[in-house]
């Protein structure tokens, strides 16, 4: 009888200068109440704060941990892609090195994969905490159990990256992109390959705005990632009107942030990138309309976060 040696799940943890958090992150994976075999790939992108020493120490104690110490800095998405390419599991999970999982996370997701062959990927809700571990709220609310491209466009980037688990056959959704990219584009690429499922339980602990986060250190890469996501949606067959609305909300949010910071350089860059997509027709009238809507959207977002829901 032939024995399938492939682990049930490969967990791809990306880390960079996460010394205060990486031990808790890895422990949360190794402690999962999950019957299947786990392969834990940990990609460090050149940390100099002791993160690598912590990973190496844990690896000596548990053979499931496979350190991948990058010889040069690849950036968050490049680091992740290198792990996904190595993964041997029948399913692949992503986890940021400053986040952690709650007990039952893998068990709940793997059960859905087993009974739903049309589901290609599964997400869960997340608990938000500050870098100092103070509770802030939850990631989202009112998310349906099944998600399609239309829902991704209607709600924007509302899914938590560290909650993602997908079938290994869909890894081309990751490997087919040139870094840098953001998770919103990945969600769209997965949605083009099958049904996205959602577990409305906070099975991830997500640290909000830790030092070194991509949005803080690589703002233009985030803008590029958003624009690439809009192009991805159009290429997938989404209507230009739906993508135009989504792009408008993103541009309006960037406008509010620019006004608060009194720095419009990134907004001008975002504007030029969006205007370069002919199907969006992002001319002056469109931008004026988004500018009128943006303050109200900002107020709604602020009120939602005061209620403890960050991506309603």
């Amino acid at each position: 009888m032939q024995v399938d040696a492939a682990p049930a799940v490969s967990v791809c943890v990306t880390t960079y200068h996460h010394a205060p958090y990486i031990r808790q992150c890895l422990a949360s994976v190794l402690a999962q109440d999950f019957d299947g075999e786990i392969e834990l790939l940990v990609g460090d992108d050149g940390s100099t704060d002791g993160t690598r020493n912590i990973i190496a120490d844990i690896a000596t104690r548990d053979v499931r941990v496979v350190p991948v110490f990058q010889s040069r800095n690849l950036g968050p998405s490049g680091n992740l892609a290198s792990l996904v390419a190595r993964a041997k599991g029948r399913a692949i999970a992503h986890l940021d090195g400053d986040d952690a999982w709650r007990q039952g996370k893998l068990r709940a997701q793997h059960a859905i994969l087993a009974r739903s062959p049309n589901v290609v990927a599964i997400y869960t809700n997340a608990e938000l905490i500050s870098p100092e571990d103070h509770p802030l709220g939850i990631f989202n609310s009112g998310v349906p159990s099944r998600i399609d491209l239309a829902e991704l466009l209607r709600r924007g980037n509302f899914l938590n990256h560290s909650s993602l688990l997908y079938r290994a056959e869909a890894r081309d959704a990751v490997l087919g992109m040139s870094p840098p990219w953001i998770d919103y584009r990945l969600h769209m690429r997965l949605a083009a390959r099958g049904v996205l499922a959602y577990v409305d339980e906070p099975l991830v602990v997500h640290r909000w705005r830790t030092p070194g986060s991509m949005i803080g250190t690589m703002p233009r890469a985030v803008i590029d990632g958003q624009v690439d996501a809009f192009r991805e949606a159009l290429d997938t067959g989404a209507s230009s009107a739906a993508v135009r609305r989504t792009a408008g909300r993103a541009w309006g949010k960037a406008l509010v942030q620019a006004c608060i910071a009194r720095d419009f350089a990134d907004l001008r860059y975002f504007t030029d990138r969006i205007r370069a997509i002919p199907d969006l027709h992002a001319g002056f009238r469109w931008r004026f309309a988004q500018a009128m809507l943006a303050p109200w959207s900002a107020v709604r977002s602020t009120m939602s976060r005061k209620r403890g829901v960050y991506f309603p």
Side-chain angles (χ1 to χ4, degrees):
M1 183 177 68
Q2 184 176 2
V3 177
D4 186 359
V9 178
S10 292
V11 182
C12 299
V13 174
T14 51
T15 184
Y16 179 66
H17 288 164
H18 287 153
Y21 315 119
I22 191 64
R23 191 176 294 277
Q24 179 189 10
C25 172
L26 302 185
S28 76
V29 176
L30 297 173
Q32 287 290 303
D33 56 345
F34 174 63
D35 292 336
E37 183 183 350
I38 294 174
E39 173 189 47
L40 179 48
L41 300 166
V42 190
D44 181 80
D45 207 19
S47 299
T48 57
D49 66 342
T51 298
R52 289 194 171 192
N53 293 336
I54 297 171
I55 296 168
D57 176 64
I58 295 172
T60 63
R61 303 166 190 270
D62 197 313
V63 296
R64 293 175 293 177
V65 180
V66 181
V68 180
F69 295 153
Q70 309 296 358
S71 59
R72 60 184 179 87
N73 186 276
L74 301 178
S77 47
N79 187 15
L80 176 60
S82 77
L83 301 181
V84 170
R86 294 168 182 256
K88 299 175 182 177
R90 296 187 296 276
I92 299 172
H94 294 183
L95 178 57
D96 296 336
D98 52 353
D99 292 342
W101 287 348
R102 293 295 189 200
Q103 195 62 265
K105 191 262 188 190
L106 281 184
R107 175 166 44 82
Q109 292 179 301
H110 200 265
I112 294 175
L113 280 187
R115 66 175 182 261
S116 305
N118 63 328
V119 169
V120 68
I122 308 164
Y123 301 81
T124 79
N125 209 338
E127 172 190 353
L128 269 73
I129 61 175
S130 71
E132 299 78 24
D133 291 350
H134 301 309
L136 299 175
I138 59 173
F139 209 78
N140 48 43
S141 68
V143 178
S145 61
R146 296 294 184 268
I147 301 164
D148 57 13
L149 181 60
E151 186 73 5
L152 288 172
L153 289 171
R154 187 180 73 83
R155 299 182 70 130
N157 193 8
F158 69 99
L159 295 171
N160 182 267
H161 177 251
S162 286
S163 77
L164 172 59
L165 176 81
Y166 55 93
R167 299 184 190 275
E169 306 91 271
R171 78 174 78 208
D172 65 301
V174 173
L175 300 180
M177 295 185 288
S178 298
W181 44 265
I182 62 171
D183 52 1
Y184 191 31
R185 185 181 177 194
L186 174 58
H187 307 330
M188 291 182 179
R189 288 173 66 85
L190 287 169
R193 287 157 174 77
V195 175
L196 307 184
Y198 184 78
V199 179
D200 195 9
E201 296 180 48
L203 298 177
V204 173
V205 178
H206 175 75
R207 283 190 171 83
W208 182 251
R209 298 289 190 265
T210 53
S213 66
M214 188 174 179
I215 199 167
T217 60
M218 304 169 64
R220 295 207 173 178
V222 172
I223 291 170
D224 290 338
Q226 287 181 300
V227 174
D228 289 342
F230 304 150
R231 291 184 182 275
E232 189 80 45
L234 291 168
D235 291 344
T236 302
S239 71
S240 58
V243 179
R244 199 163 181 253
R245 286 191 295 270
T246 303
R249 290 193 298 271
W251 186 88
K253 181 179 178 181
L255 171 64
V256 171
Q257 292 170 340
C259 291
I260 293 172
R262 297 183 180 180
D263 184 347
F264 294 87
D266 287 342
L267 180 67
R268 286 192 290 269
Y269 179 77
F270 197 4
T271 302
D272 290 342
R273 289 298 319 275
I274 289 180
R275 289 179 65 189
I277 304 178
D279 290 345
L280 296 187
H281 307 290
F284 175 79
R285 288 186 178 181
W286 177 83
R287 297 196 303 276
F288 181 80
Q290 307 313 316
M292 294 298 99
L293 295 171
W296 302 108
S297 296
V299 169
R300 286 195 298 270
S301 177
T302 300
M303 296 302 294
S304 178
R305 291 184 180 185
K306 285 185 176 181
R307 295 193 301 270
V309 180
Y310 274 57
F311 297 93

